[in-house]
Every structure is written in structure tokens, then in C-alpha cells.
Amino acid sequence: MKEESRWFCFLKCFLFIISARQWVSASRNLRPCNETDYYYEYTECDSAGSRWRVAIPHNLGTCSALPTPTRGTDCSFSCAAGEFLEMSTQQCTPCAAGSYSLGSGVRFDQWDTIPAGFTSLATYMDPGPSGEESQACNSSSWTPQGVYLESSRDECTVSLVYAVHLEKQGSVSFSYQYPDNNIFLEFYVQNEQCQEMAQTDDQKWIKLTTNGEWDTHTVNLKSGTNILYWRTTGVLVGGKMVKPVLLRNIQIEGVAYTSECFPCRPGWFSSAPGSSSCQPCPRNTSSNKGATSCTPCPDTQYSHEGWSQCKERPPCSEKDYFQIHTACDSEGKTQVMYRWVEPRICEENVTGAVALPPTGEREACPPCNPGYYNTNDSTCFPCPPGTHSDGTSVCEECPAGTEPVLGYEYKWWNVLPSNMKTSCFNVGNSKCDDMNGWEVAGDHIRSGAGGSDNDYLILNLHVPGFKLPTSLAGMTGSEFGRITFVFETICSADCELYFMMVKSTTVVESWEGSKERQSYTHIMTRNASVSYTWAFQRTNQAQDVRRYISDVVILYSVSVTNVQDGVASACRACALLSQSSQRSGSCIPCPAGFYIDRDTNRCQECPPNTYLSGHHTYGEDACLPCGPGSKSNKEHSRCYSDCSFSHTENNRTLTFDLSSLSTVASLTIGPSFTSKGTKYLHVFNVSLCGHQGKMAAVCTDNVTDIANKDMGSDSTQFVNSVDSFICQSTIIPADGRGFRMALASQSISLADTFVGATVDSDLDGINARPELFSDNSKSIPDINFFYSACPAGTCDGCTFHFLWESGSACPRCTQDDYHQIEGACKGGAQETLSVWNEPKLCIKGMSLPAKSSAPCEAIALWLKAGVGGGAFLAVLLVSLTCYFWKKNKRLEYKYSRLVMSANKDCELPVADSCALAEGEEPEDDVVYSHKPSLLGKLRAIANKVHPSLRDGSGGNDEKEEGRKEGRKEGEREIERERRSESW
């Protein structure tokens, strides 16, 4: 904007004061000046409001003796419309025939070229990747198209500028078409110092128009120099081309005078002097510039209204006629008729021309539409109030306990319903104004031929308002009615079908190219009168011939529910008063969140955590359960998250308190860039939970919202804002295109319904796709919130994934989240401290227990028990050692006595021989690797043989006997010892 303002500061228009003086002739041979050698101009007005008229030569030095300056008219003087100021006499004079004048104003309605004084300037404020200025907008400009001026279709900022000096307060008004909210149209005024004048938002930002409709915008101007700006900027997010802005009939009031009249442009004329405007030439006539009348075309040529020349008539073809169905006659028959497209421009009596097909045979008429009945003359009339019909039978009253279902249901198209209208409109001319845009065809209605391929073929349906059935009157849901239609498009070019609500000035939905037979539903969330419009354009390229006449749109059926003063095709059950009431049997509205019990026809409240479907209240199955982790609001109209969530895993329950996340949060993604480098951002507003189910996230188109403020009381339903759980807006930063504020557009809802919250990755066919996010290495699971949009079934299949990381999403703390640490015993007291487990993965909930203290002893009980047990074992061990030592001594003493008793003769034993005597068995002596026990020693002694017996020197019998006797004595001694021990 700064660059643009600096550029135009050098283009400021100044009125120069011309000093009148006598030119001294350099040669007495110069001839005197005549009236053709000069022209008159006024000097700039002085402080008293006066001025002078001076003569200015066309060429200096060609003549002499110019008229002397004279006092001019007052600065506030102006002529009436149709007159101009004759400067030689300074009197107002009527314009000649073939021209026109506005008197104190100027008008621009010829756009074969950009008129003098206008400048088209394209700017691009976003620098390139390396900081250089982009050159992508050098070719962008406002383009003249004959009867209108067309803005650029790209995303460059293109300004149309005109500077005018007003001697008094005036105004500027212009006609425009602005059908696309993806392009911004701004009109503002600057003074001669390039300072923007004070303007309200509704003066600066132009409101949208419907397709094919012209609107007028007027702004008051102050005296002095005014620089007028018409500036557009396209937003090509998604790659779809925008529809351009069209300007025509720019008129400026407040100039002091006009010294000449403007000639009528070609194809227009003014037949009488003193005209303030020109008229277009009728069809099959033409005219040149400044014409006073129009010239008829020859019989072999044709022209449309406002044409400057005639064209040769082509041979007639199949594209020049169409078929229609006649109305049903008294016998219930209809005929297929063929008619020429009017105005007919083709010639049927030349070589190669086709003739109009003959009229078809009579055939049976289709039945009446539901809610209507057939009279004897085959005319369909609406059923009286309180009755219904399917269209093939007479109207019948609804049974007791039921009420009629009011609405429109059109599926047979023998004649156009009385509340529907059809028309044809062309932006450039009016050659199809008298044509039908659509034609009925029995079981469908289809687009007509039109005058050219770029005509808008319009079908309009008016709905006076909506009225909920009695049983639904107490509901607080968001659905008042819905429109559903089935259509099909067959195209070979760039055709487009628009579905619009007229008062909204915005297109609800559009379809390009051929589309198979399909159904579309739109829900009305507010109760108001509305007109639905279908507009079909075979191509948006201006063409004088019809090349795509076979490109059509077919509308099979249209259904609108809950229409005020509509007709009924069926009856529905309603809630009844109690039998004790005097009005028993009458239908009553059920309170919000109540359904109609099938058995009693009484109102029953839906169970907890269920919601009531807005268009179905009969039976308990109308109460649909809310998803996991959700609950219903008080009216049972919507499910929502109350900001609490619980999950049980491994015998542990995690409870989450998300109340701190209940406020609406905003998320900005970007910046992103379009194909030409325009910077834009995506802003998402998220209402995660709480608010009793109210969709608190709001996205607003700030420009179109400002422009629609003056649409009246009914416009509140058409404000370009979106209320949702999650909504998205496209933002163009203020520094990105030179605008003085950020522009928000394309606001859409991404989440109309809360499906549920769970730790699972799938719910009701929606997949959270955890692979898109980083792995959760913590023991706390992720909570997945699932939402869906477009409950009417018009979703385009797009799924948005958001990852919200917050400390507030940790579970509430429990006793499993901390542990205790016991301190040392000091001064007979021991402290116990509680600390959180690390890392801490919880918030709120249970608090840490306070530090506690308990009495204790210096030596612990277990230590005392250990020391006492050790002392006892030591005493026991010493006692056993002493006992066995004493016992060993006694056995040694007895052994000595036993040895002594075995050697009574005092004979010393001889040494044993290691060898065995002949015939002697070896002894089974036990060999020990360590010191043998006392019992082992005794056994070894008892088993030894006297040396005298082992070598055979002495009596063997005596020896053997002595041995046995000694052994027995030893055994008896040992036995006595054992008995004494046992005692």
C-alpha cells in the first residue's frame, strides 16, 4: 500500500492558474485568431468563490489577438442533466441528439477500452524466497469487456484508480457484480495528500451479490481532489479459480460543470436533444457511435440488443430448438412439443438447415406430487390443512394420535409449481431475459437452451418459513428443516451448477463438470423465510454462439421438510394429553429431550447420556446413545465431553480432569503459499470440552461479515460465521498483501458432532492414525477425541488430525503416584517423608501426605533380638564343647582300664605284622582320612588280635578265647557307659 500511495502522489491532479496576457506578435503578418484557433478554460476558484474565463490557443504562434479574459460563472454553478456549459456564452445548452450529459456529473458506461483518467495498477507485496520483488503480477489488470470492466482472476492485488476534482460535495456510485467470497473487493477514497478519508466498514467493503445479479454501491465525496480506488485481491487456496468482480456505470456527481456532451457508444442511441442517457438498440438493429437512431438488419442477418453491427444468420441445427411438455388436458394427457430457441437467429430455409421436429403423440400425464390431489380436469391442487395424500389418491384426514407432516415434495414435473420460478440472465446483455432457464420434462426438470452458452439458467424455490411439528415444538435442537434434492449434470465443457440461498449472498455448494446422479442435503439451523436458487452455466467464457446446448443439468426431485403452510404427504405419530384431560386426543409438544412412547403415545424423557435425533422422536430407539467418554446435555440434543475422562488398565484407574482445556484454543498453521506466492495461514479454533455441549469455537469471515450488516433482521441467519467444536479460517496477513488489517475468509466447520473420547485409535469408522504422531513412551495413554462434521451426509472424506500436548492432560494423582521415605532415628523420633514418583505423570487429585514423626529407640528391636540370639548360641556352643571334652576324657580313662584288664600278665604286646599269615582272612578295618571318632577308636582296639595269637606261637585256642573275652568285656563296658549317659 505504501508503494501504491507513493506512486499516486506523483499523479495528483492540480488545477493550474493560467495568467492571461496579450501575446505580442513577433510579426505583424500573423492573422487574427478565430473561434477554431482557441478554446476556453476557467481559472482555479479564488477564496471568494469566483473565477475567470480565459482563451487558450490550440497552437502557439499561429494567430494573434486572443479574446481578453472575462469573469466566469460562480464556482458552484452547474448545468442540469442533458445540458452542457457553452463556454463562449457561459450558458447551459441542451446536448444534441446522439449524445448525453449528466450536467454536474460524469458517467462511464463504455468499456471497449479503459477510459482516459483511469489507471490499472497491479501490486504484489510479498517478496520472493530470496527477498526480491515478485514479477508474477506484471500482467494482471482490470480488463475492459465492452459493457463492463472485469477484475483480475488471480491472487494479485489490482487497483483501478481515478482522480477527480469536485467543486462541491458530491458522490460516486457504480454497478457491480461480486459473486465470489474468495476474492476481496475494497473501495476507498484518498485526498490529494494521499490520506485515506474516513469511511465506515460498509462503505469500504463491498457486500456480495448473487450469481448474475447487479447491485449498486454509493459513497459520498467531499469537495476538492478525490482519488478513487477499486481494489481486488483473489485467494486461490485450493487451486480453484475465483470469479472476477465486474464494474459498469460508474457515475460521479459534484463536478462544477461539463463543457461538452458525451456521444452514445456504438449499439446505443439518443433520439432527442437534451438526453441524460442513451438507449440500447433493439434486437436485429445496430448503430454507430453517436447515433440518433438504429438501423434494421437485413433479413439474412441478426443482432442482439445493444449490438453495434449485424451478423449473418447460420443454418438451423439441433442446438436451435428444445422440447417441452404441455400441461395435462381434461383427459389426463400431455404432449411433447418442440420449439425454436428465442430469439431465433438461425435460418431454416437454407441448404443444410434442419426443420423443427413434429409434435409427438399424446401420452399419460404423471401423477400429482405428494400432498396434492387430482381434480376431474387433471389439475393438481394442494390438500386442505390436516389432510394428506400421496398424490395418487384423495386427501384423507390424519388418524387420531397423528399429525400431518408438512413440507414440499416435488418428483413429478408436468408443470412448474406455483412457488418456483425460472429465468435466464446474462452478465453482458439481456438477450435471454424473456427465456425460461429451466423446462419441465415429466419425471424431471432440466436446464433450458438460453441465449448463449455463458447464460445463467436460474431456478428459484421460495420457502415462506419453517414450522416444527407439534411434537418437536419444544425441542431446542439446531434443525428447523432440511432441503434434499437429487440431480445430475451432463457436460462437455466447463459447466458449473450453483446451489444458493439468495439472502445469504453466498454459494452453499457448487459442482463443476459432469456429475453422476446423486443426492444433496442442506440443513436449516434458523427459522426464516428463504429462497433456494439453482443456477447453471454451461461455460463462463463469453460466446455469442451456442456450442454446448446439449450440456444440461437434470433435477429429479426436491424435498423440503417442516415448511410453514406446506402440504402433507403422510402423517406422523404425535404425543397425546393424558386421558383425564378435557382435551384428550389432542397433539401436544413434548419437552426438550422427550420422545413419544409407542405404547401410550405419551412423552417420555430419554435415558441418561442419550441424545434425541432432531427429525425422529417416535419410540425409545429415537434416543441414541452417546459415545464413550461423553454425556448428553440437559435437553438431550447433543453429546459432549464434560472435561473428565477415566480409563482402567491393569487394575488401575486413571482419572483425567481436562477442565483447564475447556476454553477455546487457537492453532495457527503456516505460513503457506499459493502458486503465485501469496502467503496465507490456516487458523483453527478448538472447543475441546465443557460449555454444556455448546459449540463455542467461532470462525468469522471478517470482510463479508462487515458487508452483510445491512441485510435486515433476517440476515442474522446468514452471517458468515461458523459455530462448531472445531472450525477453520484462512487468514491473509495484513503485511502480506498491503491491507491494513488481516483478512479472514473461507470459514468452515470441521466438527459439528462429538462422537466420543477413548484411548483406542478407532471409533465409529474414524481412525486417529497414531503413526502420524510421535510414540508415547510414557505409561500414560493418549486420549483420542473423535468428532464428525456435516451430519447431513455431505462429508468430502477429509480427516483432520490434531495433537494437543499439555500438562493438564495428565491423570489425577493417586496413592500409586508417590512413595514414602523413612529417616534415621534421632533423639528417639523418626520422620517419614512422602515424595512423588519420578517422572511425575499426574496433576491435582490426591495431595502428598504431610511429613510425619513417630517415636523410636536407638537400637532397633531386630538388632536387639539378633544380639540376644547370638549370645545364646555362643553360650550353648561353649557348653556343648565343655560337655564333649569331659566325655572324651572319661572314655580315655575307661579305655586305659580296658587295656590294662586285657594284659593281666603284664606282657607287652608284640608288634603287629603287616603281612597275613597263611589261611588268615584280612580284617575289615576302617581307614579315616581325618582323626577318627571315639567310637571308631574303641572298635579298632576291640578288633585287634594279640601278637602272640597272630603269628601262631602259643595255643591258638587260648588266644582266641582271650580275645573273645576281652571283646565281650569291652562291649559290656561300653553298654554300661551308654546307659549311664541315658540316665
Side-chain angles (χ1 to χ4, degrees):
M1 182 59 210
K2 292 181 180 179
E3 179 184 347
E4 186 176 319
S5 298
R6 287 197 304 269
W7 193 87
F8 277 105
C9 281
F10 294 102
L11 296 180
K12 292 184 298 182
C13 180
F14 294 98
L15 295 179
F16 295 94
I17 299 177
I18 302 176
S19 299
R21 62 180 180 177
Q22 291 287 342
W23 292 93
V24 179
S25 177
S27 172
R28 296 183 179 272
N29 295 328
L30 292 179
R31 60 178 178 81
C33 295
N34 55 37
E35 293 182 355
T36 60
D37 293 327
Y38 59 87
Y39 63 95
Y40 289 108
E41 278 285 357
Y42 281 126
T43 63
E44 189 171 320
C45 295
D46 56 22
S47 59
S50 61
R51 56 189 172 183
W52 292 81
R53 188 194 70 174
V54 296
I56 301 175
H58 292 293
N59 297 301
L60 292 177
T62 58
C63 63
S64 61
L66 288 172
T68 59
T70 60
R71 184 173 294 277
T73 60
D74 294 337
C75 290
S76 60
F77 175 83
S78 62
C79 295
E83 298 179 341
F84 72 100
L85 182 65
E86 177 61 50
M87 294 294 291
S88 60
T89 63
Q90 298 194 66
Q91 299 292 326
C92 292
T93 305
C95 292
S99 64
Y100 71 96
S101 169
L102 300 179
S104 62
V106 292
R107 177 190 296 160
F108 302 95
D109 56 5
Q110 302 181 35
W111 303 101
D112 298 319
T113 59
I114 295 182
F118 283 88
T119 303
S120 179
L121 178 66
T123 57
Y124 200 87
M125 299 301 178
D126 290 338
S130 302
E132 74 279 2
E133 292 293 328
S134 173
Q135 304 297 320
C137 294
N138 291 345
S139 60
S140 299
S141 174
W142 286 81
T143 306
Q145 298 289 355
V147 295
Y148 58 84
L149 192 64
E150 181 181 284
S151 72
S152 175
R153 295 172 179 255
D154 55 27
E155 57 203 61
C156 298
T157 298
V158 183
S159 298
L160 179 69
V161 187
Y162 183 75
V164 62
H165 186 85
L166 301 184
E167 294 294 342
K168 59 181 180 180
Q169 290 185 351
S171 64
V172 56
S173 63
F174 53 90
S175 298
Y176 69 95
Q177 267 197 24
Y178 180 22
D180 195 341
N181 63 353
N182 290 324
I183 188 171
F184 300 109
L185 173 59
E186 181 184 16
F187 176 76
Y188 62 97
V189 183
Q190 289 183 346
N191 58 20
E192 58 185 4
Q193 282 80 34
C194 296
Q195 297 173 343
E196 185 173 341
M197 297 184 180
Q199 288 179 261
T200 60
D201 289 332
D202 56 350
Q203 291 179 329
K204 179 178 179 181
W205 297 103
I206 311 301
K207 69 178 182 179
L208 293 169
T209 63
T210 58
N211 279 318
E213 298 294 332
W214 291 92
D215 203 349
T216 301
H217 188 75
T218 302
V219 175
N220 294 326
L221 302 177
K222 295 181 178 181
S223 59
T225 300
N226 294 265
I227 305 176
L228 312 180
Y229 290 82
W230 293 264
R231 184 163 64 173
T232 62
T233 301
V235 183
L236 273 67
V237 178
K240 185 177 180 180
M241 293 295 295
V242 298
K243 296 186 179 302
V245 175
L246 308 181
L247 294 179
R248 70 175 185 184
N249 297 340
I250 299 177
Q251 182 170 318
I252 302 173
E253 296 285 350
V255 295
Y257 67 93
T258 176
S259 59
E260 60 180 348
C261 297
F262 300 97
C264 295
R265 61 190 175 96
W268 293 63
F269 74 101
S270 64
S271 58
S275 296
S276 61
S277 63
C278 298
Q279 304 297 322
C281 287
R283 292 190 179 101
N284 297 324
T285 63
S286 64
S287 69
N288 295 322
K289 184 176 182 180
T292 59
S293 63
C294 299
T295 304
C297 296
D299 293 340
T300 59
Q301 295 182 343
Y302 76 98
S303 71
H304 292 302
E305 183 181 62
W307 278 22
S308 61
Q309 60 183 357
C310 302
K311 292 186 178 182
E312 292 293 329
R313 294 182 180 271
C316 292
S317 65
E318 291 82 359
K319 298 179 180 180
D320 294 305
Y321 64 84
F322 60 94
Q323 68 174 15
I324 62 172
H325 287 69
T326 62
C328 293
D329 55 23
S330 59
E331 299 179 359
K333 300 292 184 179
T334 184
Q335 286 182 320
V336 177
M337 305 291 292
Y338 292 92
R339 293 182 179 176
W340 292 111
V341 175
E342 296 294 342
R344 193 178 72 174
I345 62 175
C346 66
E347 186 69 39
E348 59 177 329
N349 297 322
V350 296
T351 303
V354 299
L356 195 67
T359 300
E361 297 182 357
R362 299 171 67 198
E363 57 185 32
C365 287
C368 294
N369 282 308
Y372 291 79
Y373 69 97
N374 199 337
T375 61
N376 293 332
D377 59 354
S378 300
T379 303
C380 296
F381 288 95
C383 287
T387 63
H388 72 284
S389 172
D390 60 358
T392 61
S393 59
V394 297
C395 300
E396 298 178 353
E397 292 188 0
C398 291
T402 63
E403 61 180 334
V405 181
L406 300 180
Y408 298 145
E409 187 176 357
Y410 302 128
K411 59 181 181 179
W412 300 109
W413 305 92
N414 185 57
V415 293
L416 197 66
S418 60
N419 58 348
M420 299 186 75
K421 297 182 182 300
T422 178
S423 61
C424 177
F425 181 83
N426 189 284
V427 175
N429 53 63
S430 58
K431 60 186 176 182
C432 75
D433 287 352
D434 298 329
M435 299 181 182
N436 286 335
W438 294 63
E439 300 290 347
V440 294
D443 63 345
H444 67 271
I445 183 172
R446 59 192 296 154
S447 56
S452 61
D453 283 342
N454 66 333
D455 291 342
Y456 286 100
L457 307 175
I458 299 172
L459 179 66
N460 180 270
L461 169 63
H462 178 69
V463 178
F466 297 88
K467 180 181 179 181
L468 291 173
T470 303
S471 299
L472 301 179
M475 295 186 59
T476 58
S478 60
E479 179 179 340
F480 282 86
R482 58 176 59 192
I483 179 172
T484 302
F485 58 89
V486 179
F487 71 98
E488 177 185 12
T489 57
I490 304 174
C491 300
S492 58
D494 55 335
C495 72
E496 189 163 5
L497 172 65
Y498 306 91
F499 174 64
M500 300 172 289
M501 291 188 297
V502 173
K503 287 189 176 180
S504 70
T505 71
T506 56
V507 176
V508 177
E509 190 60 74
S510 63
W511 298 268
E512 294 181 351
S514 295
K515 299 295 180 183
E516 296 181 352
R517 183 169 178 169
Q518 58 186 277
S519 175
Y520 176 80
T521 299
H522 176 73
I523 293 179
M524 292 298 300
T525 57
R526 293 181 176 91
N527 187 8
S529 172
V530 64
S531 290
Y532 297 109
T533 299
W534 294 265
F536 181 69
Q537 189 180 39
R538 291 193 288 266
T539 178
N540 60 10
Q541 303 298 324
Q543 297 183 7
D544 292 333
V545 297
R546 291 186 293 267
R547 298 175 53 192
Y548 309 110
I549 192 66
S550 58
D551 292 4
V552 296
V553 56
I554 300 175
L555 197 60
Y556 293 99
S557 64
V558 177
S559 175
V560 187
T561 64
N562 302 336
V563 177
Q564 181 180 341
D565 299 330
V567 295
S569 60
C571 300
R572 62 177 290 161
C574 65
L576 301 178
L577 288 171
S578 61
Q579 296 180 355
S580 60
S581 175
Q582 295 179 356
R583 297 176 54 212
S584 61
S586 301
C587 293
I588 62 170
C590 286
F594 283 68
Y595 68 94
I596 304 173
D597 185 80
R598 282 193 174 94
D599 298 329
T600 62
N601 272 45
R602 302 290 186 265
C603 296
Q604 296 289 337
E605 186 176 5
C606 283
N609 295 331
T610 62
Y611 68 98
L612 191 62
S613 175
H615 55 279
H616 175 54
T617 59
Y618 191 61
E620 189 175 0
D621 56 353
C623 302
L624 305 178
C626 292
S630 65
K631 61 186 301 183
S632 62
N633 56 5
K634 296 179 181 179
E635 296 81 12
H636 294 275
S637 61
R638 181 178 292 119
C639 296
Y640 72 101
S641 170
D642 61 352
C643 297
S644 64
F645 180 80
S646 296
H647 171 64
T648 302
E649 184 177 2
N650 297 328
N651 296 326
R652 182 189 179 191
T653 299
L654 301 177
T655 302
F656 297 83
D657 182 7
L658 307 177
S659 57
S660 59
L661 305 180
S662 61
T663 56
V664 177
S666 293
L667 169 67
T668 301
I669 297 180
S672 300
F673 298 88
T674 62
S675 58
K676 282 196 174 182
T678 298
K679 180 170 65 175
Y680 65 93
L681 308 170
H682 284 314
V683 175
F684 299 88
N685 291 332
V686 181
S687 175
L688 187 69
C689 59
H691 307 287
Q692 287 295 314
K694 178 184 176 182
M695 295 185 290
V698 179
C699 296
T700 303
D701 293 354
N702 59 354
V703 176
T704 52
D705 180 45
I706 292 171
N708 288 328
K709 289 193 305 181
D710 58 348
M711 294 184 62
S713 60
D714 290 343
S715 65
T716 54
Q717 67 165 327
F718 302 117
V719 173
N720 291 286
S721 63
V722 174
D723 299 344
S724 180
F725 289 112
I726 305 175
C727 61
Q728 171 191 350
S729 291
T730 300
I731 306 296
I732 299 179
D735 59 348
R737 306 296 286 167
F739 288 103
R740 287 166 296 281
M741 69 174 184
L743 302 182
S745 69
Q746 300 178 345
S747 296
I748 58 174
S749 172
L750 304 181
D752 295 328
T753 304
F754 178 61
V755 180
T758 176
V759 298
D760 298 330
S761 59
D762 290 279
L763 183 63
D764 286 355
I766 308 175
N767 184 269
R769 298 187 63 184
E771 69 273 7
L772 295 177
F773 311 108
S774 57
D775 294 336
N776 184 5
S777 59
K778 301 179 176 60
S779 59
I780 305 301
D782 291 333
I783 307 174
N784 296 318
F785 281 74
F786 293 88
Y787 299 88
S788 68
C790 47
T794 58
C795 293
D796 57 4
C798 295
T799 302
F800 290 80
H801 303 271
F802 301 91
L803 176 62
W804 191 343
E805 293 183 338
S806 172
S808 300
C810 292
R812 297 176 66 89
C813 295
T814 64
Q815 61 183 3
D816 295 330
D817 295 307
Y818 69 88
H819 61 276
Q820 293 182 330
I821 300 177
E822 294 181 348
C825 186
K826 296 181 179 179
Q830 183 181 34
E831 293 183 347
T832 301
L833 179 66
S834 299
V835 295
W836 295 113
N837 297 333
E838 292 295 338
K840 183 184 177 184
L841 300 176
C842 66
I843 58 172
K844 301 180 180 179
M846 178 180 292
S847 301
L848 280 177
K851 182 189 298 183
S852 62
S853 178
C856 66
E857 297 182 3
I859 301 177
L861 180 62
W862 64 269
L863 184 59
K864 292 180 179 180
V867 172
F872 173 77
L873 292 176
V875 172
L876 181 61
L877 182 59
V878 171
S879 301
L880 291 176
T881 302
C882 294
Y883 170 76
F884 285 112
W885 177 80
K886 182 178 180 181
K887 184 67 174 176
N888 187 42
K889 290 296 184 179
R890 291 180 60 188
L891 291 177
E892 288 182 357
Y893 171 74
K894 292 179 179 181
Y895 171 71
S896 300
R897 288 185 57 190
L898 181 60
V899 172
M900 293 294 294
S901 62
N903 299 314
K904 292 181 179 181
D905 296 336
C906 298
E907 295 178 359
L908 293 174
V910 297
D912 292 334
S913 175
C914 292
L916 295 176
E918 184 178 357
E920 184 179 1
E921 296 294 334
E923 296 292 338
D924 296 331
D925 294 335
V926 180
V927 181
Y928 296 92
S929 60
H930 54 79
K931 185 177 179 179
S933 63
L934 179 60
L935 185 58
K937 291 180 179 180
L938 295 176
R939 288 180 178 176
I941 295 173
N943 290 333
K944 288 185 178 182
V945 183
H946 195 275
S948 61
L949 297 178
R950 185 172 298 174
D951 59 8
S953 60
N956 291 333
D957 294 337
E958 292 181 359
K959 292 180 180 178
E960 183 64 27
E961 186 66 25
R963 184 186 303 169
K964 291 181 180 180
E965 185 63 28
R967 184 181 301 167
K968 289 179 181 180
E969 181 63 25
E971 290 176 354
R972 285 193 296 267
E973 184 66 24
I974 292 174
E975 183 64 25
R976 285 193 299 269
E977 183 66 26
R978 288 177 179 174
R979 289 177 181 178
S980 63
E981 289 179 359
S982 63
W983 283 102

